Amino acid sequence: MNSPLPPGTTLALATGNPHKVQEMRAIFADLRIPIIGLADLTAGGPIPEPAETGDTFEANSALKAAWYARRTGMWCLADDSGLEIDALGGRPGVISSHYSTDGRETGAARAERDAANNARVLRELQGVPPERRAARFVCVMSIADPEGRVVLQRRGEFEGRIGLPGQVPRGSHGFGYDPLFLVAPDFVRTGAELAESEKNARSHRGAAARLIASALRSV
Ligand code: ITT
């Protein structure tokens, strides 16, 4: 397959989440494609965020990439990600970032939202034994051209389980549900206890980004 990106293209990372920008910059460091974050593009005022109305990570990822591409006139890479917990029927899923408010945006700061989301997950899993606390992070990445056409999409997954209260939250790296997520196959460390480079080597975002990178590299 030919790389869908014209030579010399700068790729804009279409996310308002500074942790994702940091992770993705590290993952894409060896790709010879200049990458900029949205924060570097907001000279004309901040770009409003799209409503994430899709039922799937695929739909939301495509919608975000297309939204920011049209507004910036640039090639944009977006991801939609979240946590699926088997015992909760796959929730929080696509509403992971606003789980404590059932998907509603309240304008609460990210750290506050993360804490409320994590508290809800632990509450809903009360009494569920370790072997039934299986969970996975999912990440779907999409690249859209400046007209908003999605030209590439890939999915990555990261298996683990939600720790028991008392065992978690633990760790100071990462973001979101990382402090609750015991990483498979040994379920010893949480995502927040992995150094950034180790998380990127194992994570859903790392997996999706490597699939995107290899598609971009192949000529
Ligand atoms: P953008 O939409 O601006 O990219 P966001 O944080 O709102 O930022 P998502 O809509 O993709 O991103 O929601 C992902 C949520 O899933 C995120 O807020 C976390 O709660 C959770 N999540 C995703 N990846 C994670 C990771 O690597 N570690 C911990 N939690 C993660």
Side-chain angles (χ1 to χ4, degrees), residues 14-17 20 23 49 52 64 68 79-83 93-94 96-98 110 113-114 117 137-138 158 174-179 199 203-205:
T15 174
N17 182 335
K20 286 188 184 176
E23 286 189 6
E49 289 186 18
E52 296 181 24
K64 285 194 237 183
Y68 288 107
D79 90 332
D80 194 52
S81 52
L83 179 70
V94 292
S96 288
S97 56
H98 300 280
R110 202 172 283 279
R113 247 196 290 145
D114 286 350
N117 291 337
F137 283 118
V138 177
F158 186 23
F175 65 100
Y177 300 94
D178 279 331
K199 182 177 173 195
S203 78
H204 52 314
R205 195 163 297 101

Side-chain angles (χ1 to χ4, degrees), residues 54-84:
D55 292 335
T56 60
F57 296 114
E58 277 75 7
N60 282 332
S61 159
L63 169 160
K64 285 194 237 183
W67 171 276
Y68 288 107
R70 284 199 209 96
R71 275 157 188 80
T72 57
M74 295 188 66
W75 288 78
C76 279
L77 182 145
D79 90 332
D80 194 52
S81 52
L83 179 70
E84 291 180 346

Side-chain angles (χ1 to χ4, degrees), residues 13-191:
L13 290 186
T15 174
N17 182 335
H19 298 281
K20 286 188 184 176
V21 175
Q22 194 185 337
E23 286 189 6
M24 287 199 242
R25 270 193 201 281
I27 295 166
F28 281 106
D30 68 324
L31 261 191
R32 297 248 171 80
I33 297 173
I35 294 207
I36 56 170
L38 273 189
D40 305 322
L41 282 177
T42 50
I47 302 169
E49 289 186 18
E52 296 181 24
T53 51
D55 292 335
T56 60
F57 296 114
E58 277 75 7
N60 282 332
S61 159
L63 169 160
K64 285 194 237 183
W67 171 276
Y68 288 107
R70 284 199 209 96
R71 275 157 188 80
T72 57
M74 295 188 66
W75 288 78
C76 279
L77 182 145
D79 90 332
D80 194 52
S81 52
L83 179 70
E84 291 180 346
I85 302 174
D86 291 349
L88 301 181
R91 282 183 300 148
V94 292
I95 61 165
S96 288
S97 56
H98 300 280
Y99 190 44
S100 71
T101 52
D102 293 318
R104 245 180 327 104
E105 303 235 5
T106 59
R110 202 172 283 279
E112 209 179 298
R113 247 196 290 145
D114 286 350
N117 291 337
N118 288 358
R120 177 170 182 182
V121 161
L122 287 180
R123 199 168 58 241
E124 290 183 337
L125 289 177
Q126 236 162 31
V128 177
E131 64 280 7
R132 289 188 36 234
R133 298 171 80 95
R136 77 204 48 79
F137 283 118
V138 177
C139 172
V140 175
M141 274 186 193
S142 304
I143 293 186
D145 72 11
E147 281 76 48
R149 288 178 295 241
V150 173
V151 298
L152 190 60
Q153 187 172 75
R154 293 289 184 275
R155 166 185 273 246
E157 299 190 356
F158 186 23
E159 295 289 336
R161 74 165 56 135
I162 303 304
L164 294 166
Q167 205 177 25
V168 297
R170 238 171 45 212
S172 56
H173 302 286
F175 65 100
Y177 300 94
D178 279 331
L180 303 188
F181 185 79
L182 297 172
V183 177
D186 45 8
F187 310 112
V188 172
R189 282 182 300 165
T190 68

